[in-house]
Amino acid sequence: MTDNEALTEDQVGDRVAGLLLAAGGGRRLGGRPKALLEHLGHLLVEHAVGALRAAGCARVHVVLGARAEDVRARAALDDCVLVDNPDWEQGMGSSLRAGLHSLTGTGARAALVCLVDQPGIGAEAMARVRGAYRDETSLVSAAYAGVRGHPVLLGAAHWAGIAATATGDRGARAYLREHEAEIALVECGDVARPYDIDTEADLVHLE
């Protein structure tokens, strides 16, 4: 029997923690941290946390880096665990390592990892990926027309291996490539748009 078969929906929510990577400094956006950009009347970090909550994640850890104190002061993140990444300038890999480390010992069996600069990926796509959780060996990824993207669900059995290979801006990419045969793909192209807010031109996506 898998964890999913044995647990209620609320218990699965406790086992699958939301992990939001929101530490980037927005170098190609003139140094504007992406967490502090606004979309639909909310900061991007608030938008992403709300989506994770709506997707069923009872526990949400948010990794902060660039202008972390401003994010803490301006964003409504009272119910989140805020994780400081002093090495955020080294890239997304350092934030993923910090976030996974923060979940160690919490009882979480998997992390649903989302990026703060992808507001086109909302609660429905996150819930689909979360719903594919089976146990701590799970590896699940959203797919868009069959191409792997975010969010990704990383079972706790994989965290040490991911942390060992997460360098620069690669995140979990190298580990997932090595374990591609184990990844369950969940098509989300009908409910989400996986664009990134990386450059000035991408700001057209924000409302």
Side-chain angles (χ1 to χ4, degrees):
M1 180 178 290
T2 66
D3 280 359
N4 237 13
E5 292 169 329
L7 298 172
T8 66
E9 180 70 9
D10 285 344
Q11 288 171 321
V12 171
D14 289 335
R15 296 290 178 95
V16 180
L19 177 55
L20 178 62
L21 306 185
R27 179 176 50 83
R28 288 184 285 173
L29 287 167
R32 283 180 288 173
K34 296 176 183 181
L36 293 174
L37 297 176
E38 293 190 14
H39 179 57
L40 298 174
H42 295 278
L43 300 179
L44 279 190
V45 67
E46 296 172 334
H47 178 84
V49 166
L52 282 166
R53 295 278 190 213
C57 292
R59 179 197 306 275
V60 177
H61 286 215
V62 182
V63 182
L64 302 178
R67 287 175 56 187
E69 290 308 312
D70 286 346
V71 177
R72 287 174 181 271
R74 292 179 53 189
L77 302 172
D78 294 345
D79 295 329
C80 299
V81 174
L82 303 184
V83 181
D84 286 312
N85 174 19
D87 300 320
W88 63 268
E89 290 183 281
Q90 295 179 11
M92 183 172 59
S94 66
S95 291
L96 181 57
R97 292 196 306 272
L100 293 177
H101 179 73
S102 75
L103 288 170
T104 302
T106 64
R109 297 289 187 87
L112 181 62
V113 182
C114 299
L115 307 181
V116 77
D117 66 346
Q118 293 189 319
I121 299 175
E124 192 165 356
M126 294 178 190
R128 283 188 186 180
V129 175
R130 172 185 168 273
Y133 165 79
R134 294 295 174 264
D135 56 38
E136 64 183 12
T137 68
S138 294
L139 285 175
V140 186
S141 175
Y144 300 91
V147 178
R148 183 157 50 82
H150 282 89
V152 294
L153 184 142
L154 308 174
H158 302 280
W159 292 354
I162 290 168
T165 58
T167 59
D169 281 321
R170 294 165 63 190
R173 194 179 310 158
Y175 187 89
L176 293 177
R177 188 165 54 243
E178 292 174 4
H179 295 78
E180 193 157 359
E182 302 169 45
I183 301 171
L185 294 181
V186 178
E187 182 58 45
C188 294
D190 59 320
V191 295
R193 295 181 296 154
Y195 57 79
D196 300 310
I197 306 297
D198 282 334
T199 68
E200 294 282 348
D202 297 327
L203 295 176
V204 68
H205 294 296
L206 302 181
E207 301 175 29

